[in-house]
Amino acid sequence: MKQVLLIATLALITLSANAQSLSSKDNAAIDAKVDQFLKLMEKKDYTKVLDFMYPPIFEHTSKKDMFQIFEMLEQSGIELKFKNTEVLNKQGLKTIKDTKYALIKYRFELDLPLNTDELRGYAPLLVPVLQSNFGKENVTYNKSQNLINAKGEKFLMAINDPKYSDWLFLIYDSSMRTAIEKTIPAEVNNQAAALAR
């Protein structure tokens, strides 16, 4: 009897975690917005990127903090180069109070040219930080070309809230966990967390 209950419970958890399908209209709208968002990231136009963010998140984290790490690196003379951004998949999440949610997985590469002796001296510090963020196997340091390359897969949460006119985004990342928990309904966040493993 315990085994039957356990199997039934696991089946219910699996079913509740399954993604909902997105309509073709929502799919097309998300595709268009994600494409713009990722192109702005490649251009490092963080001011415009912030216009694509779901405004309630700023009640729990400042706009300044959101891209602080990138700005700090660039102020140190490290020129970040985003490239090869590509959407891998989109999954619909629960709709709550007429607000639709979706989880988007995307891939990108990041080049960090180390053009000065000072920057090359930072390599032993930068490489482990990037490895902890992207995984050891996804970070390479080419000493002869003075180039660090990181490949990553990250997640965005797309939100279509009737208060706003279009799909907007949250960077769905552990660094944003507290702000996301305060912004997104728990059942949507739990569903997204299960899919984002």
Side-chain angles (χ1 to χ4, degrees):
M1 187 64 176
K2 282 183 182 176
Q3 193 174 12
V4 173
L5 284 171
L6 179 62
I7 290 168
T9 304
L10 287 172
L12 283 171
I13 290 168
T14 304
L15 286 170
S16 67
N18 279 345
Q20 299 176 1
S21 61
L22 291 162
S23 71
S24 57
K25 181 183 172 186
D26 286 338
N27 250 317
I30 291 171
D31 282 344
K33 290 287 282 196
V34 170
D35 186 55
Q36 292 173 53
F37 181 88
L38 293 178
K39 280 180 179 163
L40 289 170
M41 286 291 287
E42 283 189 4
K43 290 178 186 173
K44 298 176 286 186
D45 192 341
Y46 304 129
T47 303
K48 284 190 182 167
V49 165
L50 290 171
D51 293 339
F52 282 68
M53 303 300 285
Y54 185 51
I57 196 74
F58 300 123
E59 295 169 22
H60 310 294
T61 188
S62 74
K63 290 184 179 184
K64 186 181 175 186
D65 290 346
M66 200 159 283
F67 296 108
Q68 191 173 24
I69 182 89
F70 297 137
E71 288 168 352
M72 278 171 46
L73 287 170
E74 290 186 342
Q75 284 166 10
S76 301
I78 297 173
E79 184 190 350
L80 299 171
K81 293 182 180 177
F82 288 96
K83 62 181 188 178
N84 299 328
T85 53
E86 176 191 6
V87 172
L88 299 175
N89 63 50
K90 300 184 298 295
Q91 296 177 292
L93 302 171
K94 294 181 179 198
T95 297
I96 308 245
K97 295 180 183 174
D98 296 327
T99 298
K100 298 177 191 176
Y101 300 88
L103 192 68
I104 300 153
K105 184 177 186 180
Y106 68 99
R107 175 190 297 142
F108 69 95
E109 279 188 63
L110 184 63
D111 279 346
L112 286 84
L114 305 178
N115 300 323
T116 66
D117 288 338
E118 184 183 6
L119 292 177
R120 287 189 279 279
Y122 290 145
L125 300 171
L126 286 170
V127 172
V129 168
L130 288 166
Q131 286 175 338
S132 69
N133 203 319
F134 296 104
K136 200 168 186 175
E137 68 284 1
N138 296 318
V139 178
T140 55
Y141 175 35
N142 185 325
K143 285 186 183 181
S144 64
Q145 292 182 4
N146 298 312
L147 182 72
I148 299 174
N149 174 270
K151 294 183 172 97
E153 291 180 357
K154 295 287 182 182
F155 292 91
L156 289 174
M157 183 178 283
I159 302 154
N160 189 317
D161 185 330
K163 291 178 192 168
Y164 308 99
S165 60
D166 206 346
W167 286 90
L168 296 166
F169 302 113
L170 292 180
I171 295 168
Y172 197 78
D173 188 88
S174 59
S175 66
M176 299 279 292
R177 182 178 293 133
T178 303
I180 289 168
E181 286 172 354
K182 292 175 180 176
T183 306
I184 299 300
E187 54 196 302
V188 174
N189 191 25
N190 292 340
Q191 187 185 15
L195 293 168
R197 288 183 183 153

